[in-house]
Amino acid sequence: AFEIDRQLSPESVHVFRDEASGLDAVIALHSTALGPAAGGCRLWQYASGEDAAADACRLAEGMSYKNALAGLPLGGGKAVLRRPEGTYDRRKLFAAFGQAVRELGGRYVTAEDVGTSVADMETVRDETRHVAGLPARGAAPGGDPSPWTARGVFLAMQAAAARRLDRGLGECTVAIQGVGHVGSALAGMLHAAGAKLIVADMDAAAVARVSVATGAQTASLSGILTANADIFAPCALGGVLNHASIARLSAKVVCGAANNQLAEPEDGTRLADRGVLYAPDYVVNAGGIINVAAEYLGWSQAEAAARVEATPARLLAVLDQARARGVASNVAADQLARAAIAAGGMARRAA
Ligand code: NAI
């Protein structure tokens, strides 16, 4: 058994196993107070079922907060699939997963996440309509959410630089850790805005592409944290900001796309104590889920875009709350998200 504290406690956790396809899935619904629990499907190797369940619960809680603060009529959930050992039929696996999503009757809406693709979601779509992240049809929202995520991070970074550095991005140097889907798109936007760039990625070809396109300098994997930059943009993995790395960070603003950037919540306070403005990850990286939500809910592309453009306003509201309450920005974001979930849940119950 794994232990979950009260804050993490999800509304329900569903386990689906199917020997024929190799499906071994956990779907955690953290909250449906604001609407169907939405969050991607991760395919990953886990040492145990408990590890998979714990990860699903932690990720589902993050989705609740991200969706609530983005003002979406969606709760938070996440699916975690343990990668089958040996060879397996990917279509069968995702068809079985689609049936599991269907069984939840619309209480959970899935999409891509680490280890899953648009093609996988198309397989899921054959079994259930509670899926998004499918190829865009005509002018309707859909397709790769990464450019929308990058756009939201870019706009938030502009607001953060103005507040902390009193400067436009054209007068800033930005260190980007990870130039994959989001990081490379962000690099393009920053370059167009006149920012100087320093990038690092273990994928040498990705680094080369971005350097050629933007004139970015490159740094080593460990050097990117201490690179002489005004802004650090984590766009690779989570947990990069911890006791040790924060002490070495030279940037005064942290604003990037990676989920779960803080190794532990106290790292938010450590950043604030060092005078670093931390733009909470799920506040600034919601552009992708906004576009995915628009696809599922049938909103227009213009409506989705307007909500992505409001990312800096949401960041500033969080920073104002942090200042007013005398707490770190990550704490303020969690407070605002929980309040939004509580208020939305009450409003829905009263309706
Ligand atoms: P991606 O897989 O396309 O890119 C990640 C890049 O980081 C890869 O190029 C990889 O080689 C690199 N990388 C991995 N470890 C690294 C390290 N230690 N140092 C430097 N580079 C490293 O992923 P994507 O889609 O660009 O997402 C980036 C981050 O943003 C992830 O944490 C993801 O969860 C998060 N995110 C992505 C969204 C999206 O719309 N794609 C939405 C919200 C969050």
Side-chain angles (χ1 to χ4, degrees):
F2 64 95
E3 288 191 17
I4 42 182
D5 65 31
R6 268 165 48 84
Q7 214 154 286
L8 265 169
S9 167
E11 271 176 25
S12 60
V13 180
H14 307 264
V15 176
F16 296 90
R17 289 205 183 93
D18 171 50
E19 232 169 85
S21 62
L23 180 74
D24 187 349
V26 181
I27 301 179
L29 309 186
H30 176 262
S31 168
T32 55
L34 297 178
C41 167
R42 181 167 292 198
L43 178 67
W44 200 246
Q45 226 150 10
Y46 290 93
S48 68
E50 287 75 22
D51 282 1
D55 204 27
C57 292
R58 187 178 57 81
L59 292 164
E61 182 184 25
M63 288 311 302
S64 282
Y65 294 177
K66 187 190 290 199
N67 294 341
L69 264 199
L72 298 171
L74 295 171
K78 200 89 182 184
V80 160
L81 270 55
R82 293 181 73 185
R83 201 198 325 269
E85 283 175 21
T87 54
Y88 61 96
D89 183 331
R90 200 162 173 115
R91 276 193 66 83
K92 274 198 185 137
L93 180 70
F94 281 92
F97 172 63
Q99 288 156 21
V101 172
R102 186 175 68 209
E103 264 185 52
L104 294 175
R107 283 197 295 146
Y108 170 63
V109 182
T110 198
E112 297 89 346
D113 190 55
V114 177
T116 59
S117 67
V118 173
D120 298 328
M121 294 308 121
E122 290 186 285
T123 305
V124 171
R125 182 70 182 84
D126 291 339
E127 307 294 333
T128 178
R129 63 186 176 84
H130 303 298
V131 54
L134 300 163
R137 277 166 301 153
D144 180 11
S146 305
W148 295 98
T149 304
R151 174 76 183 157
V153 171
F154 171 79
L155 293 169
M157 194 182 280
Q158 231 168 14
R163 176 155 297 195
R164 176 63 184 85
L165 306 167
D166 206 12
R167 265 187 267 162
L169 290 176
E171 299 161 90
C172 290
T173 300
V174 184
I176 307 180
Q177 181 185 46
V179 281
H181 288 97
V182 180
S184 61
L186 178 65
M189 294 170 192
L190 287 166
H191 176 62
K196 287 196 187 64
L197 299 175
I198 306 173
V199 300
D201 197 301
M202 60 236 281
D203 180 346
V207 169
R209 274 194 302 274
V210 170
S211 294
V212 168
T214 67
Q217 289 177 38
T218 60
S220 66
L221 294 184
S222 59
I224 194 73
L225 260 157
T226 46
N228 190 9
D230 305 297
I231 301 170
F232 176 58
C235 297
L237 303 175
V240 290
L241 298 165
N242 56 41
H243 196 281
S245 65
I246 289 168
R248 294 167 50 224
L249 192 69
S250 62
K252 287 297 172 215
V253 171
V254 173
C255 181
N259 282 312
N260 302 321
Q261 290 167 24
L262 304 179
E264 53 180 6
E266 292 70 28
D267 292 320
T269 309
R270 292 191 179 110
L271 284 165
D273 288 348
R274 289 204 61 216
V276 177
L277 185 161
Y278 171 60
D281 43 18
Y282 66 80
V283 179
V284 303
N285 73 8
I289 190 74
I290 290 171
N291 205 54
V292 163
E295 174 190 343
Y296 182 71
L297 297 165
W299 294 346
S300 68
Q301 191 65 73
E303 165 85 47
R307 285 170 183 259
V308 175
E309 298 298 302
T311 304
R314 290 190 291 271
L315 172 63
L316 293 176
V318 166
L319 297 177
D320 288 344
Q321 161 96 350
R323 194 181 276 169
R325 295 273 179 101
V327 295
S329 55
N330 61 310
V331 174
D334 287 359
Q335 286 173 349
L336 286 173
R338 286 195 201 109
I341 292 167
M346 268 190 295
R348 263 164 64 101
R349 280 193 297 277

